[in-house]
Amino acid sequence: MSPAPRAPRVVLLHGLWMPAWSLLPLERRLRRSGFATTRFAYRSWSGALAPAAQALRARLQDVAAGELHLVGHSLGGLLLLELYRLGYRHPGRAVALGSPFAGSLAARRLGACGAGRWLLGRNAEPLRCGGGELPGDVELGVIAGARPWGLGRWVTGVPAPSDGTVRVAETRLDGARDRLQLPLTHLSLLTARSAAEETAHFLRHGCFSPGPSRSMGM
């Protein structure tokens, strides 16, 4: 009898100020969808993206061979871009949820004062300005939230459509294979079943599922 095929592995990346366990709701849903999951913890506030990407690359080289996918929330999506800029490639796809690839208005407004700059930490620049270009050989799907409840709206006045922290337009990244807008907040992108199901769909098929929730006008 031949051995059972390995479950495709997913490495999950958290956002700014978020501990790795914040990914648990998404991780559990992906496991129920048939993926083997791993969370990668990095210093999102006190450490810069470049060394975090180097550490992630080393971690991924220790992961068993086979299909490997990456999923990043918020700043975790910018960490993905930094990893790809290092030239790392993997036999799989990637999904970014609520990542400010085009730069964050909330971060720019927050960084206008000393206390705000301190809150943004070492990654203030990529959060304010965005993450740059996506290499053409990377299959990346982008999910944006469009329920504007959150810190960005209340503290920095981020206008809709947004997820309360990141505007829908700020998640746009040229070269992304597919985009999807869901009625979710920045944090519920990690907890909602719809976000997990769409993440799993893209990882398997390279596109999000068709339906009335889809919005390509991002």
Side-chain angles (χ1 to χ4, degrees):
M1 179 181 297
S2 59
R6 288 179 179 173
R9 182 167 293 277
V10 180
V11 178
L12 298 108
L13 314 172
H14 60 85
L16 180 66
W17 308 323
M18 303 294 286
W21 56 257
S22 66
L23 298 162
L24 276 172
L26 176 60
E27 181 179 34
R28 287 169 179 156
R29 292 187 188 278
L30 290 175
R31 284 183 176 177
R32 287 197 290 267
S33 295
F35 295 93
T37 60
T38 301
R39 284 169 278 137
F40 176 75
Y42 64 101
R43 294 186 298 165
S44 62
W45 176 78
S46 62
L49 283 183
Q54 293 281 4
L56 175 58
R57 181 175 185 170
R59 171 77 173 273
L60 295 177
Q61 289 171 343
D62 293 335
V63 173
E67 190 176 354
L68 172 68
H69 305 293
L70 300 175
V71 174
H73 176 246
S74 195
L75 182 65
L78 300 183
L79 177 56
L80 285 177
L81 280 188
E82 191 69 27
L83 176 71
Y84 295 138
R85 272 199 288 268
L86 293 176
Y88 181 82
R89 298 295 183 271
H90 53 97
R93 301 184 175 99
V95 172
L97 302 101
S99 296
F101 291 119
S104 166
L105 175 63
R108 290 192 293 274
R109 289 180 174 174
L110 195 61
C113 66
R117 287 192 294 273
W118 181 85
L119 285 171
L120 293 174
R122 293 284 302 280
N123 292 307
E125 187 67 16
L127 287 168
R128 289 196 304 256
C129 301
E133 297 181 355
L134 178 70
D137 57 346
V138 173
E139 290 189 65
L140 176 72
V142 174
I143 299 178
R147 180 160 290 166
W149 305 341
L151 182 66
R153 182 184 183 187
W154 299 325
V155 176
T156 60
V158 172
S162 79
D163 62 12
T165 300
V166 176
R167 292 182 296 171
V168 169
E170 292 169 348
T171 66
R172 187 170 185 89
L173 179 64
D174 289 341
R177 296 298 174 92
D178 203 358
R179 305 177 186 89
L180 184 67
Q181 182 176 317
L182 296 173
L184 299 173
T185 68
H186 197 63
L187 290 180
S188 64
L189 286 167
L190 291 175
T191 60
R193 183 175 65 181
S194 58
E197 288 177 345
E198 290 295 344
T199 296
H201 194 280
F202 185 90
L203 296 182
R204 288 199 176 95
H205 305 291
C207 64
F208 296 115
S209 62
S213 63
R214 169 177 289 278
S215 174
M216 295 298 290
M218 294 164 53

